Amino acid sequence: NYLLFLKYLKKKLGKKPLTVCVHARVKTLDRDAESYSEIGKVADRIMIMAYDEHWSTSAPGAIASMDWCRSVAEYALSLWPAEKYIIGLPFYGRTWPEENWRKAWYFEGINRIMHENNVDVVIRENDVPYFSFKKEISVTGWYEDAHSVVERSRMYKDMGFQSLAFWRMGQEDAAVWQWIK
């Protein structure tokens, strides 16, 4: 029914473009309501939410690791040309504790948590920063900063993508705007 709805919506929009947001995929799923290949037949653009590789109840890890993002992009390109897509990048981070202290954080909040807990070492795994600190529990936080956003943006540009979107404005490292034009 979702594809029927999109076809109906496209018809009602007339000449106005239809952009559909979809979750990140690295392969075709059986009976997928968000099939890139089928949605692309109807929509003018597909906005891929290329984040939440790891989430609050998953094991700790990057919100969108470079390798995973590359796999998402390669899969998308196997179905439609780059011009068809808008790639979504995250502006947030997430913490994973040993116990129930899991939270999503915007960039300013990540910096506050790091400062409050005297975090002085930031480690980068494949250009994505993360940190750890100990309280009464051990907490690991993965997040996005200007460096990781710019590196991911460059990767997508090198793959031929022309459009980016961000989740969510106001949560970003303000330095990102010095790099993105």
Side-chain angles (χ1 to χ4, degrees), residues 68-135:
W68 180 77
C69 288
R70 187 173 290 105
S71 294
V72 169
E74 288 170 348
Y75 171 69
L77 290 173
S78 75
L79 301 170
W80 295 102
E83 298 79 29
K84 186 80 164 177
Y85 297 102
I86 302 166
I87 304 294
L89 285 80
F91 273 160
Y92 63 96
R94 191 175 298 281
T95 54
W96 288 266
E98 288 178 348
E99 295 181 26
N100 194 11
W101 208 68
R102 297 170 192 242
K103 296 183 180 192
W105 300 92
Y106 50 92
F107 186 80
E108 183 180 304
I110 286 284
N111 280 317
R112 181 178 48 79
I113 294 299
M114 290 170 61
H115 179 74
E116 288 174 0
N117 292 282
N118 300 314
V119 174
D120 56 359
V121 176
V122 172
I123 304 157
R124 288 190 183 274
E125 182 174 302
N126 210 4
D127 291 318
V128 180
Y130 75 96
F131 65 91
S132 293
F133 64 87
K134 290 195 183 274
K135 243 178 162 17

Side-chain angles (χ1 to χ4, degrees), residues 53-65:
E53 175 185 4
H54 294 91
W55 56 95
S56 63
T57 58
S58 76
I63 302 302
S65 69

